[in-house]
Amino acid sequence: MGLSIAIVGSGPSGFYTAESVLEKWADCTVDVIEKLPTPYGLIRYGVAPDHWKTKAVAKSYEKLALDPRVRFFGNVEVGRDVSVAELRQRYDAVVLATGCSTDKTLGIKGDGKKGVLGVASFVNWYNGLPSARDLDPDLDTESVVVIGIGNVAVDVARVLVKTPEEMAATDLMEHAARVIHRSPIKHVYMVGRRGPLHAQFTNVELREMGHLKDAAAIVDPAQLPAAIPEDAKAEFSDRQLRLIQRNIDTLKDFTKIEPGSRKKRVHFVFFSNPVEILGGECVSGVRFEKTRVEKGRAVGTGQFFDIACGLVIPAIGYYSHPIPGVPFKDGKAINSGGRIEPGLYAVGWIKRGPSGVIGTNKPDGDAAAGQVAADTGGVSPGKSGRAGLEALLAGRKVKAVSFADWKRIEAAETGRAVAPAPRRKFATVAEMLAALDAAPGAGAAPPKAVAQAD
Ligand code: FAD
Ligand code: NAP
């Protein structure tokens, strides 16, 4: 009898794990359990709406989902509809691939004020995560401070200043487009506590900031080194040094940009550590301490300055949302190379924390498959697996969304898009389920490849 494997979460790490186990065992069954009716995790709700090509990676995940050994159980939340312990009773291996969805907070004076908006909430809102639909951020300000100089900070700054025309061929949510494009934002400050050598953004993403229609990238040349200092080189690999050099070259190019008629500015501000959010009930600015970098660490200089703004978006990383029954520490599941305990594994951001691009999650799937092989010998003692989960869900009247259902939701979203937008996402789970009821084929037999999924 083949192994039964439950993967919790359908983002990149979940699908790469499915790929690895399917390659290893021809006779296994893989059930992907996802709390939303929609698959793909941050590919749908994190990756920026104007990075449409990046989202195409989902096509390769779809192929896996259509494998006859795989079943998608959407709209089933582990910890709410079914527990980890119940899954472990039923499956030979349970792999947690639930990512990181909770904002890290700054932990400085004033960071609870109205107008401080965690980046996860903001990104989820403009990307249409149902739970963020009613965020209603107040963008009625001319200046925004984004704290952090990673790729998420760059995404947010770009989405805030792009024109409606630049966002037309994207799946930016309508509710977000309305608010963003009416806002009077003129200045977005991206502030790093360290300097350009230690910026986390990648060069392709940085260069995009030099090609915006109505926004100019502004960099103070005094903050850029003439060359990478010799004493700093030992800290980095050759690959990192090449990336740093490209970033410095790009930032130098930005210093030559003539804003011309462009009305908006994205300011890159380095060597500045936030120490206090200013204002009364609402944010009026951020106080920073100037820093210098010593042995890779930002060290305060005792000099302070303020940036006035009406909105602060800390883009400083994420924590995993704890799952009942799973040991957690420092925003991650406690694991050793991915193994939490024999029979229970972690992959992706819940395993490693919130770092790495989509492909970084792939080796985690191989590692998990290797650990499952070591712990089970590839032999199933004959647990109830899929049939056991179905019986449990039926008993609780939990109706899972199948992959065929998802394809109907996707078809409805594509069908109602107004060109050149590639899709118009549903904003709530209720709308998704209603579309499912209304979709052609509702109640009819699903396509053959996914027939088992209904
Ligand atoms: P996720 O993608 O977060 O997937 C986790 C899944 O688990 C979700 O579908 C979630 O709904 C589900 N889940 C959570 N809890 C439960 C539960 N209790 N029960 C059932 N299901 C659950 N990388 C790039 O290469 N290019 C980019 O352009 C890019 N843009 C990004 C933009 C943002 C804003 C962020 C935050 C990251 C971006 N990344 C990008 C990084 C990339 O998205 C991550 O490396 C990757 O998504 C992590 O995969 P994961 O599977 O661990 O988590
Ligand atoms: P990140 O790359 O780790 O960047 C976080 C930024 O926040 C860093 O500049 C960090 O500075 C700063 N920071 C952290 N804590 C801080 C604090 N307390 N005060 C001030 N600043 C603080 O994280 P991310 O931007 O969230 O991205 C997560 C991952 O997703 C990354 O691997 C990223 O590459 C990936 N991603 C990729 C893309 C893409 O490929 N297009 C898009 C989005 C995200 P220090 O460095 O000094 O700690």
Side-chain angles (χ1 to χ4, degrees):
M1 190 178 196
L3 289 175
S4 60
I5 296 159
I7 297 173
V8 184
S10 67
S13 67
F15 274 108
Y16 289 131
T17 304
E19 185 174 35
S20 300
V21 298
L22 291 169
E23 271 171 17
K24 213 172 189 67
W25 295 289
D27 58 350
C28 66
T29 55
V30 177
D31 292 343
V32 179
I33 304 166
E34 167 59 55
K35 71 175 176 183
L36 295 164
T38 54
Y40 311 139
L42 286 170
I43 304 299
R44 181 175 163 99
Y45 293 118
V47 172
D50 57 339
H51 281 184
W52 190 248
K53 279 190 192 152
T54 306
K55 293 176 189 259
V57 70
K59 278 279 159 214
S60 63
Y61 305 154
E62 179 172 318
K63 276 197 192 130
L64 295 164
L66 293 173
D67 185 295
R69 294 167 289 172
V70 176
R71 176 100 43 109
F72 178 71
F73 290 82
N75 212 20
V76 177
E77 181 171 340
V78 172
R80 181 192 65 184
D81 300 315
V82 53
S83 70
V84 169
E86 287 165 340
L87 290 178
R88 294 186 69 183
Q89 282 158 11
R90 288 162 180 78
Y91 288 87
D92 299 318
V94 176
V95 183
L96 303 178
T98 50
C100 291
S101 55
T102 310
D103 274 307
K104 270 188 192 159
T105 50
L106 283 165
I108 60 174
K109 192 173 166 200
D111 73 355
K113 286 187 197 302
K114 198 163 176 285
V116 179
L117 193 57
V119 81
S121 316
F122 187 61
V123 168
N124 289 338
W125 171 75
Y126 69 59
N127 271 327
L129 185 76
S131 58
R133 169 66 184 87
D134 297 325
L135 185 71
D136 195 20
D138 184 355
L139 304 191
D140 190 13
T141 176
E142 290 199 352
S143 294
V144 180
V145 168
V146 178
I147 294 173
I149 44 174
N151 279 326
V152 173
V154 174
D155 277 352
V156 165
R158 192 181 67 249
V159 168
L160 281 173
V161 298
K162 269 194 165 181
T163 62
E165 295 70 35
E166 284 174 299
M167 293 306 281
T170 77
D171 62 356
L172 176 68
M173 293 302 289
E174 282 171 311
H175 60 245
R178 264 197 306 275
V179 179
I180 293 172
H181 296 144
R182 275 185 204 155
S183 99
I185 292 171
K186 284 207 182 97
H187 299 277
V188 176
Y189 297 86
M190 276 183 56
V191 189
R193 61 184 170 183
R194 298 190 287 168
L197 266 59
H198 296 90
Q200 302 292 333
F201 42 63
T202 39
N203 192 251
V204 176
E205 284 64 28
L206 178 62
R207 273 187 283 135
E208 258 188 285
M209 303 303 271
H211 300 286
L212 301 172
K213 267 200 184 127
D214 198 29
I218 306 288
V219 181
D220 176 359
Q223 292 202 314
L224 301 179
I228 303 174
E230 284 305 317
D231 61 345
K233 283 188 178 171
E235 212 189 303
F236 304 104
S237 67
D238 287 348
R239 193 178 157 276
Q240 285 171 320
L241 286 171
R242 283 195 296 275
L243 169 65
I244 292 168
Q245 188 57 58
R246 280 202 294 274
N247 281 349
I248 291 173
D249 292 344
T250 305
L251 291 164
K252 282 186 180 163
D253 289 344
F254 288 176
T255 65
K256 296 173 207 145
I257 286 179
E258 272 304 324
S261 60
R262 282 175 281 190
K263 290 190 284 300
K264 300 180 186 183
R265 305 280 181 271
V266 177
H267 307 259
F268 289 78
V269 182
F270 299 105
F271 303 110
S272 303
N273 192 32
V275 291
E276 185 179 345
I277 307 294
L278 306 171
E281 191 191 338
C282 299
V283 169
S284 66
V286 185
R287 178 153 302 155
F288 292 94
E289 181 175 16
K290 289 188 181 172
T291 64
R292 61 175 174 272
V293 175
E294 287 177 8
K295 293 187 180 141
R297 288 175 58 88
V299 179
T301 60
Q303 287 174 276
F304 297 85
F305 71 101
D306 299 344
I307 299 179
C309 66
L311 178 66
V312 180
I313 305 181
I316 59 170
Y318 297 72
Y319 284 126
S320 284
H321 191 69
I323 299 178
V326 178
F328 266 78
K329 197 174 173 217
D330 300 331
K332 293 182 278 191
I334 299 175
N335 69 89
S336 168
R339 187 188 278 108
I340 299 172
E341 288 169 20
L344 183 63
Y345 311 88
V347 290
W349 279 18
I350 190 183
K351 166 188 171 181
R352 306 187 319 272
S355 72
V357 293
I358 294 163
T360 316
N361 299 290
K362 192 163 168 39
D364 287 354
D366 294 337
Q371 288 167 344
V372 173
D375 292 344
T376 61
V379 180
S380 171
K383 291 190 178 182
S384 60
R386 184 173 296 164
L389 176 64
E390 283 174 334
L392 190 70
L393 295 178
R396 291 180 183 163
K397 303 202 179 341
V398 177
K399 193 173 176 314
V401 166
S402 69
F403 202 76
D405 290 338
W406 149 245
K407 291 300 292 175
R408 290 190 194 110
I409 294 171
E410 188 182 41
E413 289 188 337
T414 318
R416 69 194 203 124
V418 179
R423 76 167 78 216
R424 195 169 142 224
K425 288 179 188 169
F426 292 113
T428 64
V429 170
E431 282 175 54
M432 291 174 197
L433 300 182
L436 209 45
D437 289 339
K448 202 159 186 270
V450 286
Q452 55 157 350
D454 268 358

